[in-house]
């Protein structure tokens, strides 16, 4: 045990004395989360709105005035038929369309509820959902102005029917946090760890350690411990930043999320170990890690929804641990489901950890 | 009455697939001896040495090191040997003292023992003022001496030196060999591979490997007599030229 702590201490010293490593380990996660957070949270201003009014009466006219008075919308065109709306979308001259039916006013006065169709451009799902929520807000706030004085506004409702064109599956704007966690932990786990191990191969110190009475198992575990600790620190930083700075709520159980993340950290560390057994130089380790990380960005569902990928890519995404982690973390963070609904993802991650452990161990042994 | 040899190899063989890196080598090394292990690149030196250190399992044959079997008691073997690689494997980003503490700790030495021994060792090496200097700031020759001292810091019975003087100037090499003599005088057996034939002359006995086999093993003077050569360099060339492997 004492030799183990001596070794772990040494490993921390390596990290603390390398300014670049420290920068990557501690500053990058903060920068990434803040960048992503603010890049996605910025207000969507000056959306180009297309109006299609089949009623053309006083009431719809006043609603349109309200919409265009909002700083968020500028008029792209008044269309006279649906095909014109679609054409404007395709020509990228419109971001959102508001369609009033022919019997809008009649419905509202007779039944108290009237529907308005809101069409958004789903190729930018985050902006699309922000834009449609603005339309909804305008519709709700202008209602009291539209009714004759004396009537109770509560009795009337304008119901927006939102349809996202080109990407029917709308996504939450906070989807990115699980993705960023997945990416950062992979970067630290796989890249930094493999580099740290391969560095000892390069300098020859690994051989000296192997000749020592330390068992290879202790050497490997002691090398992984500091990176595990730092990954957990990063997880805390990210969660704190997302909840306090970006006000992203964690809908599900925090303990469950942390549990799944710790499992994912293990997978990432073992991936690092695996890479280190394949690579002979630090450069090779870095390239191998990048080879793993770049597709992860695209295939984990972090940047693009997996559901809208071609089948071949969907299949390819199955082998990336980040895909399963991001899925589980989203369920827990955003949908707020119970733990049993992420059991499948957890089982797959655990299986990956086990497989990586076996393979790396075998490779590590045969080197001897 | 002669003491039992500290290294005994009998028919030690290592095959990688169809390639026989080390082919039935047998020899023994006595306590306190400086044993030179020579051979051209690819002759099988490193493989043999790795087997003796417990890093690689022999395909055939047996060997005991410090009285322990390298196959069955690799742990015990590792506890009683020191090892220095040609890369002077030290941790560059740690200080001289931190390196000493780390390796002392790895071999299970207590904090007090490490501190006392370190003071003595740094004094002896003339590195007392560099105790808290990071290793990366030291000149190559000092690193090499420090690496050797580290490899015998835990008082092993045998120290294995794998081309310990590569890339070092002759003066520093000479000083380094003085350290080796001092260790041998203290009873530490030194098993050293080298490509420098002047160093081969410093050894008590020398073995020369060719194509995975030991072609010659004797004292340098006996070898020179046998091959009618003036220097170990000539002896080595004679033997190495018979190699079929390149």
């Amino acid at each position: 045990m004492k030799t183990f702590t001596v070794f772990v201490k040494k490993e921390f010293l390596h990290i603390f004395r390398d300014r670049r490593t420290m920068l990557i380990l501690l500053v990058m996660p903060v920068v990434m989360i803040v960048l992503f957070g603010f890049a996605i949270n910025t207000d969507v201003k000056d959306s180009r709105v297309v109006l299609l009014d089949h009623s053309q009466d006083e009431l719809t006219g006043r609603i349109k005035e309200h919409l265009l008075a909002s700083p968020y919308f500028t008029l792209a065109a008044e269309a006279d038929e649906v095909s014109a709306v679609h054409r404007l979308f395709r020509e990228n001259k419109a971001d959102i369309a508001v369609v009033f039916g022919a019997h809008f006013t009649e419905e509202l006065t007779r039944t108290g509820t009237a529907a308005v169709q809101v069409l958004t451009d789903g190729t930018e799902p985050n902006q699309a959902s922000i834009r449609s929520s603005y339309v909804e807000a305008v519709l709700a706030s202008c209602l009291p102005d539209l009714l004759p004085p004396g009537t109770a506004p509560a009795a009337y409702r304008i119901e927006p029917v939102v349809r996202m064109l080109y990407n029917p599956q709308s996504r939450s704007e906070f989807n990115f946090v699980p993705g960023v966690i997945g990416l950062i932990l992979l970067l630290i786990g796989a890249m930094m760890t493999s580099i740290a191990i391969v560095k000892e191969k390069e300098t020859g110190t690994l051989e000296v350690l192997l000749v020592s009475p330390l068992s290879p198992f202790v050497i490997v575990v002691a090398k992984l411990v500091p990176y595990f600790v730092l990954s957990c620190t990063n997880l805390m930083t990210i969660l704190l930043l997302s909840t306090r700075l970006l006000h992203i709520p964690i809908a599900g159980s925090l303990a469950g999320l942390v549990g799944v993340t710790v499992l994912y950290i293990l997978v990432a560390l073992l991936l690092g170990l695996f890479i280190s057994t394949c690579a002979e130089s630090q450069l090779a380790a870095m390239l191998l890690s990048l080879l793993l990380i770049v597709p992860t960005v695209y295939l984990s569902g972090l940047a693009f929804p997996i559901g809208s990928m071609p089948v071949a890519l969907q299949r390819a995404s199955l082998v990336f641990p980040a895909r399963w982690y991001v899925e589980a973390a989203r369920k827990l963070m955003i949908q707020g489901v119970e733990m049993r609904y992420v059991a499948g993802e957890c089982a797959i991650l655990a299986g990956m950890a086990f497989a990586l452990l076996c393979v790396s161990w075998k490779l590590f042994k045969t080197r001897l | 009455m002669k003491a039992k040899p500290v290294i005994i190899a009998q028919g030690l063989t290592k095959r990688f697939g169809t390639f026989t890196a080390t082919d039935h080598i047998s020899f023994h090394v006595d306590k306190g001896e400086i044993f030179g292990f020579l051979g051209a690149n690819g002759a099988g030196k490193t493989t043999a040495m790795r087997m003796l250190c417990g890093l690689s399992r022999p395909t055939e044959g047996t060997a005991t090191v410090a009285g322990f079997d390298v196959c069955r008691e690799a742990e015990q073997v590792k506890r009683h040997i020191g090892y220095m690689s040609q890369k002077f494997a030290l941790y560059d980003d740690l200080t001289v003292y931190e390196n000493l503490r780390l390796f002392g700790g790895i071999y299970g030495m207590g904090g007090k023992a490490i501190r006392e021994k370190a003071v003595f060792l740094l004094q002896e090496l003339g590195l007392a003022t560099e105790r808290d200097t990071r290793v990366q700031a030291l000149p190559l020759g000092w690193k090499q001496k420090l690496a050797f001292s580290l490899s015998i810091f835990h008082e092993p019975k045998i120290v294995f030196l794998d081309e310990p003087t590569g890339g070092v100037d002759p003066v520093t090499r000479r000083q380094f060999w003085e350290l080796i003599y001092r260790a041998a005088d203290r009873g530490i057996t030194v098993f050293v591979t080298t490509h420098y034939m002047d160093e081969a002359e410093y050894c008590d006995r020398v073995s020369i490997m060719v194509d995975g086999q030991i072609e010659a093993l004797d004292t340098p003077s006996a070898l020179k007599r046998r091959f009618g050569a003036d220097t170990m360099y000539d002896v080595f060339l004679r033997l190495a030229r018979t190699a079929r492997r390149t």
Side-chain angles (χ1 to χ4, degrees), chain A residues 32 178-188 264 293 296-297 302 322:
Chain A
M32 266 174 96
V180 172
I181 301 180
L183 196 62
I184 291 172
L185 293 180
L186 188 70
L187 212 63
I188 295 171
Y264 178 69
I293 288 163
T296 296
V297 174
L302 155 70

Side-chain angles (χ1 to χ4, degrees), chain B residues 92-142:
Chain B
D92 263 353
D93 52 349
L94 300 184
T95 66
V96 171
Y97 183 69
E98 281 164 347
N99 268 288
L100 287 171
R101 201 179 51 194
L102 174 69
F103 282 100
I106 284 175
Y107 283 93
M109 290 169 69
K112 192 158 163 271
I114 294 176
R115 271 191 301 279
E116 286 172 1
K117 188 123 199 252
V119 171
F120 175 76
L121 187 139
L122 292 176
Q123 209 86 54
E124 198 189 11
L125 289 179
L127 280 171
T129 51
E130 308 294 335
R131 182 183 182 273
D132 297 316
T133 308
R134 293 204 193 161
V135 168
Q136 62 205 12
L138 294 180
L140 192 68
W142 289 15

Side-chain angles (χ1 to χ4, degrees), chain A residues 85-86 89 95-99 117-121 161 163 165:
Chain A
V85 173
H86 282 280
F89 269 119
D95 302 308
I96 189 164
V98 180
V99 183
Q117 192 179 33
V118 179
L119 300 171
T120 55
D121 181 354
V161 181
R163 226 184 96 204
L165 299 175

Side-chain angles (χ1 to χ4, degrees), chain A residues 52-236:
Chain A
L52 173 55
D53 187 355
H54 294 298
S55 291
Q56 296 286 5
D57 55 23
E58 199 207 334
L59 195 64
T60 59
R62 283 183 30 216
I63 295 176
K64 284 188 281 184
E65 270 171 36
H66 270 278
L67 269 175
L68 297 177
S70 149
Y72 297 112
F73 297 109
T74 54
L75 182 66
E78 284 251 21
D80 38 23
E81 53 183 18
V82 179
S83 61
V85 173
H86 282 280
R87 201 187 63 241
L88 286 164
F89 269 119
R90 275 198 301 274
E91 289 167 355
N92 194 21
K93 285 180 182 157
D95 302 308
I96 189 164
V98 180
V99 183
F100 298 93
H103 309 290
F104 178 79
T105 309
E106 195 189 319
E107 267 175 50
L108 188 66
T109 46
R110 210 184 61 232
T111 66
T113 317
V116 170
Q117 192 179 33
V118 179
L119 300 171
T120 55
D121 181 354
T123 49
E124 296 165 303
N126 294 314
Q127 275 107 314
S129 62
I130 293 171
R131 285 181 184 125
S132 61
S133 68
Y134 288 161
V135 170
E136 286 170 44
V138 170
L139 289 177
S141 66
C142 74
L143 197 57
D145 289 348
L146 306 175
L147 303 166
T151 47
Y156 295 91
R157 224 149 54 83
I158 300 176
E159 201 160 281
V161 181
V162 181
R163 226 184 96 204
M164 206 182 273
L165 299 175
Y166 317 117
N167 179 10
Q169 133 207 57
S170 92
R171 306 187 321 145
S172 157
E173 54 258 50
F174 300 138
N175 264 350
F176 72 94
V177 172
V180 172
I181 301 180
L183 196 62
I184 291 172
L185 293 180
L186 188 70
L187 212 63
I188 295 171
M191 188 151 106
M192 304 307 285
T193 314
S194 62
I195 289 177
I197 297 177
V198 172
K199 189 176 175 193
E200 296 229 10
K201 262 197 213 179
E202 251 181 20
T203 55
T205 44
L206 187 66
E207 208 166 36
V208 174
L209 293 176
L210 289 172
V211 178
S212 81
L214 284 181
S215 82
F217 186 74
V218 170
I219 297 174
V220 167
V221 173
K223 284 221 74 105
L224 297 185
V225 164
Y227 290 93
F228 181 77
V229 172
L230 283 167
S231 297
C232 292
T233 315
N234 275 322
L235 173 65
M236 279 194 297

